Amino acid sequence: MNIYDIAKIAGVSIATVSRVVNGSDKVSEKTRARVLDIIAREGYTPNVFAQGLGLNTMHTVGVLVPDIADLYMSGAVSYLEEQLHRSGYECILSCSGFDLERKHSHVQMLLSKKIDALILVGSTYAGSGISNTQTDYIREAASEVPVFMINGVVSGENIYCSACDDRTATKEAVRSLIAAGHKKILFLTDSGSYSAQQKMKGYQDALADAGLPLEESLMLRIHKNRIHMVRDELNDLSVSNALPSFDAVLATDDTLAVGAMKYALGKGLRIPEDLAVIGYNNSAFSISSEPELTSIDSRLEDLCKNTADTLIRLLSSGKDSEEGDLPAPEPLTLFPCRIVWRQSAVCSVDI
Amino acid sequence: MNIYDIAKIAGVSIATVSRVVNGSDKVSEKTRARVLDIIAREGYTPNVFAQGLGLNTMHTVGVLVPDIADLYMSGAVSYLEEQLHRSGYECILSCSGFDLERKHSHVQMLLSKKIDALILVGSTYAGSGISNTQTDYIREAASEVPVFMINGVVSGENIYCSACDDRTATKEAVRSLIAAGHKKILFLTDSGSYSAQQKMKGYQDALADAGLPLEESLMLRIHKNRIHMVRDELNDLSVSNALPSFDAVLATDDTLAVGAMKYALGKGLRIPEDLAVIGYNNSAFSISSEPELTSIDSRLEDLCKNTADTLIRLLSSGKDSEEGDLPAPEPLTLFPCRIVWRQSAVCSVDI
DNA sequence: AAAGACCCATGAAAGCATTTATGGACAGCG
DNA sequence: CGCTGTCCATAAATGCTTTCATGGGTCTTT
């Protein structure tokens, strides 16, 4: 059942059927009604490939995440998918892991599917400096379709980033820990992403402000991101004396924070009395744990809404109206985080 | 840059370029090398729409989940995506929520995108009886593409289900609770899915085997699936005296179980001494909570692997070899669950 | 050694299902 | 009668796959 069949039944040309289907242009009410009737009766749907050939779009956007089984990223995809679907776009999901090589190849694959835009969620190994080779594949992609980044920052033509102000938030959190009397604060991360770098800077800012020394050994990066693996890793480090002593933890993700809590509880430590713990992203883990976890809310929903809005606006702007009646989107939108105080660390300063 | 450009540069016909690109047929080594060289140099990629028009496929599969922010479903998607990507298929993800109407419309949308197959994850309101109207949309879809179900069971032509034996597993778990002396076991669910129904049957089986009465009030369905909402809902029910007393909980998802634990801890109850809790799916929540949660492992990874394997096999069987050298896939593959015993409930029987 | 059979690499062309630019027919109006 | 505007058909364009046909070469046979 294709457009020719419908046209034949209706006694019109395929062009007219096309016009009716696309709702556009001038077709007499009579013809339109008749054609719509036949379409409904015959159950005709335009072939997306043929449409794609003509229009060069299939109304899809590529969404690349390192790990969809991660609560932060699945949350992001959830928000994005909802917004985009509502505007008539569907998501082609690709999970690349954290490897640069694979990210690149996944992006190529997505581009080959003729996506209308590309969304990258988290974990971008960003860089100061325009010509960072680690992000070149992103700029390359941006030459074909607009690229949107959720909590990653890359500068370049046609790249739009939504991120949260991790540096300030982390600084505030650490400031509070220091004010509460903590001296040895472990910065725990599993990533070298832009976001993790910002968080580390915030951590260092706070130490510097308080006149505390910056100890390399207290900035720990482990390559694990599941609760038990984190716990075990800390145990291993502890056994081999590779773990410095600490009285507080700031982790760049709730998973890490919960892993650290598990480690501490295993050692018989009390939280927050013996060890204060602050996590990140305010995910469901922060309330599933016991004690519940103080966590920095990275405003995921807002980031995603902003991204989806911008994307829709950008893609539909070129359509009806040639060139922007609307102002061009900001290349970077920064959201302030908020710290959600729970039992694992108590607020000790006015924020 | 299209196939004509490449053909012109190489001094061959487009047919030859096509043959080179598709790796197939007989092309002389010399020609192949030259064409490949030019393709690489010019950065040519075949247009998927044109390819789709000819082949009627774009190598995508539709994946429909009610809620991608749920750990169980995001886990499923993670496994599926990996396997499918490796075999050259990409996932179009659609999140429908639990509403039947919306599921139907999302499936229609996916079909209109010319997916090669459809995967439905969880939460199918299944039915005994072939002509259940709640699942008609699935059979309808199956008339266009093969349909695969993860932990849902629907019978019909071209529908392949992978599920785990929830009934038996639940029965075993409840048997153990009874053997440990629990008399009032709360069955807690948020769903009326096929899977939830099976679990409830297993619960009833165990009670019946032990000669315990079946109390309606102990089979509680709440329409909440986030930890705090579950906790609050139980609190509300408790306040309004709508909650019977109970000394054990079997929940159809870890989220519910953790919510119940939160409720119990709020009441000052000890787990597992005052209240034993068993969850389902053995998700990360079962180890993020404190005490850690005994949970029934629904073999998600195996279900997904099986599904992906079957899908690939089915889709590639029709291609090279006309009709099955391989046997047709089973319409239903059932996996045995295993119970992972942790602190929230202790194993009291041999299993 | 010559001739016929056969095979292989390749080109020509049909088909896939749409959108859209162009232009024609017809009606209404001055 | 000519102009304008509405509605619609014709045809071109989109970029690929694949079938069929063909020319030239190789192998076999006598």
Side-chain angles (χ1 to χ4, degrees):
Chain A
M1 183 59 48
N2 62 23
I3 202 173
Y4 288 93
D5 299 323
I6 301 295
K8 189 174 295 175
I9 297 175
V12 297
S13 76
I14 59 166
T16 299
V17 177
S18 175
R19 279 185 284 253
V20 168
V21 167
N22 297 321
S24 68
D25 256 325
K26 312 280 189 165
V27 182
S28 72
E29 263 322 307
K30 222 174 127 186
T31 313
R32 156 168 286 118
R34 183 158 41 97
V35 172
L36 281 178
D37 203 51
I38 292 168
I39 286 175
R41 195 170 60 231
E42 304 288 327
Y44 160 76
T45 328
N47 180 303
V48 273
F49 298 135
Q51 283 190 138
L53 246 196
L55 302 173
N56 203 35
T57 165
M58 214 179 82
H59 292 280
T60 55
V61 322
V63 179
L64 187 75
V65 301
D67 177 14
I68 188 65
D70 178 283
L71 268 185
Y72 178 79
M73 305 188 200
S74 65
V77 171
S78 176
Y79 293 128
L80 290 170
E81 197 276 343
E82 189 197 337
Q83 302 261 318
L84 294 174
H85 175 83
R86 202 183 303 150
S87 301
Y89 289 92
E90 303 307 325
C91 295
I92 301 185
L93 178 73
S94 194
C95 309
S96 63
F98 294 87
D99 177 63
L100 190 61
E101 210 53 61
R102 289 191 59 206
K103 280 189 192 174
H104 186 115
S105 96
H106 280 241
V107 166
Q108 289 305 315
M109 179 283 296
L110 287 171
L111 290 176
S112 80
K113 293 284 194 245
K114 292 282 178 184
I115 50 177
D116 290 359
L118 176 64
I119 302 179
L120 303 175
V121 179
S123 120
T124 302
Y125 295 87
S128 48
I130 293 263
S131 65
N132 186 321
T133 57
Q134 301 234 288
T135 55
D136 276 350
Y137 76 99
I138 297 176
R139 273 179 285 272
E140 194 185 318
S143 69
E144 298 198 34
V145 297
V147 174
F148 297 84
M149 308 203 50
I150 304 269
N151 224 8
V153 176
V154 168
S155 62
E157 191 76 27
N158 217 18
I159 302 177
Y160 307 94
C161 306
S162 297
C164 57
D165 188 356
D166 291 318
R167 184 167 183 169
T168 303
T170 308
K171 181 178 166 189
E172 283 306 314
V174 174
R175 184 163 77 95
S176 175
L177 290 173
I178 293 171
H182 298 282
K183 294 258 185 292
K184 296 184 159 292
I185 303 168
L186 182 70
F187 178 85
L188 184 61
T189 187
D190 64 338
S191 152
S193 68
Y194 172 81
S195 168
Q197 288 171 19
Q198 290 300 110
K199 291 166 187 169
M200 186 179 286
K201 283 183 186 157
Y203 168 81
Q204 295 171 349
D205 290 346
L207 292 188
D209 277 8
L212 288 177
L214 184 63
E215 290 182 41
E216 282 293 331
S217 64
L218 279 172
M219 297 190 295
L220 183 61
R221 176 167 175 194
I222 62 181
H223 295 267
K224 301 286 158 62
N225 64 348
R226 303 282 191 235
I227 293 169
H228 272 189
M229 298 172 92
V230 172
R231 181 199 62 190
D232 295 345
E233 178 82 10
L234 291 176
N235 266 327
D236 291 351
L237 290 172
S238 169
V239 166
S240 59
N241 273 326
L243 198 61
S245 71
F246 52 94
D247 56 19
V249 177
L250 188 134
T252 59
D253 187 88
D254 284 342
T255 316
L256 297 169
V258 173
M261 278 179 44
K262 290 284 169 186
Y263 161 80
L265 293 173
K267 286 250 175 186
L269 299 178
R270 293 165 307 163
I271 297 173
E273 293 83 353
D274 302 326
L275 182 72
V277 181
I278 298 184
Y280 224 109
N281 292 337
N282 194 30
S283 68
F285 287 125
S286 66
I287 54 177
S288 74
S289 63
E290 193 67 37
E292 296 188 7
L293 187 62
T294 289
S295 187
I296 299 174
D297 185 336
S298 47
R299 308 281 299 276
L300 186 56
E301 187 168 0
D302 293 324
L303 295 189
C304 293
K305 285 224 167 90
N306 179 254
T307 298
D309 283 352
T310 313
L311 188 153
I312 300 297
R313 201 153 60 78
L314 198 70
L315 289 187
S316 51
S317 76
K319 248 190 332 206
D320 0 84
S321 55
E322 290 304 318
E323 289 308 307
D325 23 350
L326 292 166
E330 291 295 319
L332 171 60
T333 311
L334 209 61
F335 289 82
C337 302
R338 57 175 104 80
I339 305 176
V340 181
W341 295 97
R342 297 199 186 87
Q343 299 146 23
S344 72
V346 184
C347 182
S348 59
V349 297
D350 288 340
I351 294 211
Chain B
M1 183 58 49
N2 60 24
I3 202 173
Y4 288 92
D5 299 323
I6 301 296
K8 189 174 295 175
I9 298 176
V12 296
S13 74
I14 59 166
T16 301
V17 177
S18 173
R19 279 186 281 253
V20 169
V21 167
N22 297 322
S24 68
D25 257 325
K26 310 281 189 168
V27 183
S28 73
E29 264 321 307
K30 221 175 128 187
T31 313
R32 157 169 285 117
R34 184 158 40 96
V35 172
L36 281 178
D37 204 50
I38 292 169
I39 285 175
R41 195 170 62 233
E42 302 287 329
Y44 162 76
T45 328
N47 180 303
V48 273
F49 298 135
Q51 284 189 137
L53 207 46
L55 303 172
N56 204 34
T57 165
M58 215 178 80
H59 292 280
T60 54
V61 321
V63 179
L64 187 74
V65 301
D67 177 13
I68 188 65
D70 178 284
L71 268 184
Y72 178 78
M73 305 189 199
S74 66
V77 171
S78 176
Y79 294 128
L80 291 170
E81 196 277 343
E82 189 196 337
Q83 303 261 318
L84 295 175
H85 176 83
R86 201 183 304 151
S87 301
Y89 289 91
E90 303 307 326
C91 295
I92 302 185
L93 179 71
S94 195
C95 310
S96 62
F98 293 87
D99 177 63
L100 190 61
E101 211 51 63
R102 288 191 59 206
K103 281 190 190 171
H104 186 114
S105 97
H106 281 241
V107 166
Q108 289 305 314
M109 179 282 296
L110 286 171
L111 290 175
S112 81
K113 294 283 195 244
K114 293 279 177 185
I115 51 176
D116 290 358
L118 176 63
I119 302 179
L120 303 175
V121 179
S123 123
T124 304
Y125 296 87
S128 48
I130 293 261
S131 63
N132 187 321
T133 57
Q134 301 235 286
T135 55
D136 276 350
Y137 77 100
I138 297 177
R139 273 178 285 271
E140 195 186 318
S143 68
E144 298 197 33
V145 296
V147 174
F148 297 84
M149 310 204 48
I150 305 269
N151 224 7
V153 176
V154 168
S155 62
E157 192 75 27
N158 218 17
I159 302 177
Y160 307 95
C161 306
S162 297
C164 58
D165 188 356
D166 291 318
R167 183 169 183 169
T168 304
T170 308
K171 181 178 165 187
E172 283 306 314
V174 174
R175 184 164 77 95
S176 174
L177 289 173
I178 294 171
H182 297 282
K183 294 258 185 293
K184 294 182 160 294
I185 303 168
L186 182 70
F187 178 85
L188 184 62
T189 187
D190 65 338
S191 153
S193 68
Y194 173 80
S195 169
Q197 288 171 18
Q198 290 302 108
K199 291 166 187 170
M200 186 180 286
K201 282 184 187 156
Y203 168 82
Q204 295 170 349
D205 290 347
L207 293 189
D209 278 8
L212 288 177
L214 183 64
E215 291 182 41
E216 282 295 330
S217 64
L218 279 171
M219 298 190 296
L220 183 61
R221 177 168 174 194
I222 62 181
H223 295 267
K224 300 288 157 60
N225 64 348
R226 302 286 190 233
I227 293 169
H228 272 188
M229 297 172 91
V230 172
R231 180 200 61 189
D232 294 344
E233 178 83 10
L234 291 175
N235 266 326
D236 290 351
L237 290 172
S238 170
V239 166
S240 59
N241 273 323
L243 197 62
S245 71
F246 53 93
D247 54 19
V249 176
L250 188 135
T252 59
D253 187 88
D254 283 343
T255 315
L256 298 168
V258 173
M261 278 179 45
K262 290 284 169 185
Y263 160 80
L265 292 173
K267 287 249 174 187
L269 300 177
R270 294 164 306 164
I271 297 172
E273 295 83 353
D274 302 326
L275 182 72
V277 180
I278 298 184
Y280 224 108
N281 292 337
N282 194 30
S283 69
F285 287 126
S286 65
I287 55 179
S288 73
S289 63
E290 193 68 39
E292 296 188 7
L293 188 62
T294 290
S295 189
I296 299 174
D297 185 334
S298 47
R299 307 281 298 277
L300 186 56
E301 186 167 2
D302 294 323
L303 296 189
C304 293
K305 286 224 167 89
N306 178 254
T307 298
D309 283 352
T310 313
L311 188 154
I312 300 297
R313 199 152 61 77
L314 198 71
L315 289 187
S316 51
S317 74
K319 246 186 339 205
D320 0 85
S321 54
E322 291 303 320
E323 288 309 307
D325 23 349
L326 294 165
E330 291 294 319
L332 170 60
T333 312
L334 209 61
F335 289 82
C337 302
R338 57 175 104 79
I339 303 177
V340 181
W341 295 97
R342 297 199 187 85
Q343 299 146 21
S344 73
V346 184
C347 182
S348 58
V349 297
D350 289 339
I351 292 213

